[in-house]
């Protein structure tokens, strides 16, 4: 069980919220795509605990694993229809409805976790996010967990160059499924709970899922020989919490703000927890039986070039895509000054 943050409690107190335990007056059902692991057992629970704290115990959230409140890949539908009151979700699963979701979830050549947080909370991203979800999907949504840089592949085939990538049977989702196809892979979308058996049985050659700590409990390293890095397909991103519009509209403005605050706290704390745990999880891979493969720089450059083409193509005909892309590109330009006065991570004092 996630230990409730003293920071969250302090903020709750400063906002004048109730500090004594109370019997939950409202019980919400939370749909998720997750079969287990940190996204379900830590991050979703972290948000639920913050909501309970900030509501003075009046809102209690029951978390359901993927597939129990509708399709694991259609959580948005479960929330919109009212089957679930709230969700913990990955917006990229709605990529088939609108590719703008990929920009908000994180995509190849996108923002790092730290850049994403700054863009979201200081660069206008969170306002765009909520407006977009309400206008296009009829749900209220906001970030509630961070996504670290992912492992590029757990693979049974050695992939280092663009040539190695040709014909690779790859499990992925969202924008990368399209871009990877354009680069020569044969892509398939499946939920996380199906990846292990698909790798083990040879249904797929390779899969991407999450960062080192997210992948550790899945056992992918047990059924795939190669671990391919860096995760240029997903340098960072967000998970979201969605609320049914009718449920949201029944809340007071203060209660709505507290839900957003619970999301923001969860983003920060998930970033701390996942970034730190990634270090240990990756060291296990390095010292284990898998072979670590580093992508050729020419292949990385090709991925970036193809991604820019993909972005420009969708921006021509999709107003929302163009809005979000322009905002992120402007922010990237602002961030270009960082290397001028910041040392690379891990170099200070050496």
């Amino acid at each position: 069980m996630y230990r409730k943050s003293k920071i969250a409690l302090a903020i709750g107190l400063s906002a004048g919220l109730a500090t004594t335990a109370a019997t939950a007056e409202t019980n919400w059902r939370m749909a998720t795509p997750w079969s287990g692991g940190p996204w379900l057992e830590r991050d979703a629970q972290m948000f639920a605990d913050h909501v309970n704290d900030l509501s003075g115990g009046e809102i209690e959230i029951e978390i359901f694993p993927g597939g129990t409140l509708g399709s694991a890949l259609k959580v948005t539908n479960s929330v919109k229809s009212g089957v679930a009151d709230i969700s913990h979700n990955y917006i990229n699963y709605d990529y088939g409805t609108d590719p703008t979701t990929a920009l908000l979830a994180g995509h190849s050549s996108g923002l790092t976790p730290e850049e994403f947080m700054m863009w979201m909370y200081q660069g206008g991203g969170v306002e765009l996010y909520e407006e977009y979800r309400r206008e296009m999907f009829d749900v209220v949504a906001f970030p509630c967990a961070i996504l670290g840089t992912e492992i590029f592949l757990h693979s049974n085939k050695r992939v280092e160059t663009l040539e190695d990538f040709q014909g690779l049977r790859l499990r992925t989702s969202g924008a990368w499924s399209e871009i990877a196809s354009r680069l020569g892979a044969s892509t398939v979308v499946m939920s996380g709970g199906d990846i292990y058996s698909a790798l083990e049985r040879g249904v797929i050659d390779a899969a991407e899922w999450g960062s080192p700590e997210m992948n550790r409990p899945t056992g992918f390293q047990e059924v795939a020989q190669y671990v391919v890095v860096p995760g240029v397909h997903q340098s960072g991103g967000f998970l979201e919490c969605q609320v049914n519009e009718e449920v949201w509209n029944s809340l007071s403005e203060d209660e709505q703000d507290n839900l957003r605050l619970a999301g923001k706290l969860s983003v920060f704390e998930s970033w701390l927890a996942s970034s730190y745990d990634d270090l240990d999880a990756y060291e296990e891979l390095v010292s284990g039986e898998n072979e670590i493969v580093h992508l050729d720089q020419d292949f990385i450059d090709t991925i970036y070039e193809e991604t820019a083409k993909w972005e420009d193509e969708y921006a021509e005909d999709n107003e929302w895509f163009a809005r979000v892309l322009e905002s992120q590109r402007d922010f990237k330009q602002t961030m270009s000054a960082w290397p001028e006065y910041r040392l690379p991570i891990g170099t200070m004092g050496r």
Side-chain angles (χ1 to χ4, degrees), residues 299-319:
F299 185 18
I300 293 174
D301 293 341
T302 300
I303 290 172
Y304 290 158
E305 291 167 5
E306 193 62 42
T307 300
K309 294 177 184 177
W310 170 85
E311 291 172 340
D312 291 339
E313 289 169 11
Y314 275 112
E316 286 183 6
D317 301 317
N318 187 315
E319 181 180 351

Side-chain angles (χ1 to χ4, degrees), residues 73-74 90-102 132-133 136-137 173-175 177-178 189 310 314 318:
L73 297 180
K74 298 292 183 182
Y90 183 42
I91 192 175
N92 227 2
Y93 291 148
D94 289 327
Y95 178 80
T97 302
D98 181 21
T100 308
T101 57
Y132 169 73
R133 266 308 204 183
M136 297 296 294
F137 292 89
S173 65
S177 65
E178 185 172 340
V189 177
W310 170 85
Y314 275 112
N318 187 315

Side-chain angles (χ1 to χ4, degrees), residues 151-221:
I151 298 291
F152 185 70
L153 291 175
H154 285 271
S155 179
N156 281 310
K157 291 188 176 181
R158 198 177 195 281
V159 176
E160 184 176 2
T161 68
L162 178 61
E163 289 72 25
D164 298 332
F165 202 60
Q166 304 307 298
L168 188 77
R169 294 174 297 171
L170 169 64
R171 179 275 166 199
T172 185
S173 65
W176 185 235
S177 65
E178 185 172 340
I179 297 169
S181 295
R182 291 165 61 149
L183 292 168
S186 175
T187 61
V188 60
V189 177
M190 64 177 66
S191 65
D194 297 326
I195 296 174
Y196 183 97
S197 62
L199 278 172
E200 186 179 37
R201 293 184 289 112
V203 175
I204 56 176
D205 300 315
E208 61 83 14
W209 174 246
S211 66
E213 68 118 2
M214 289 296 173
N215 289 355
R216 176 162 52 183
T218 66
F220 298 156
Q221 67 277 10

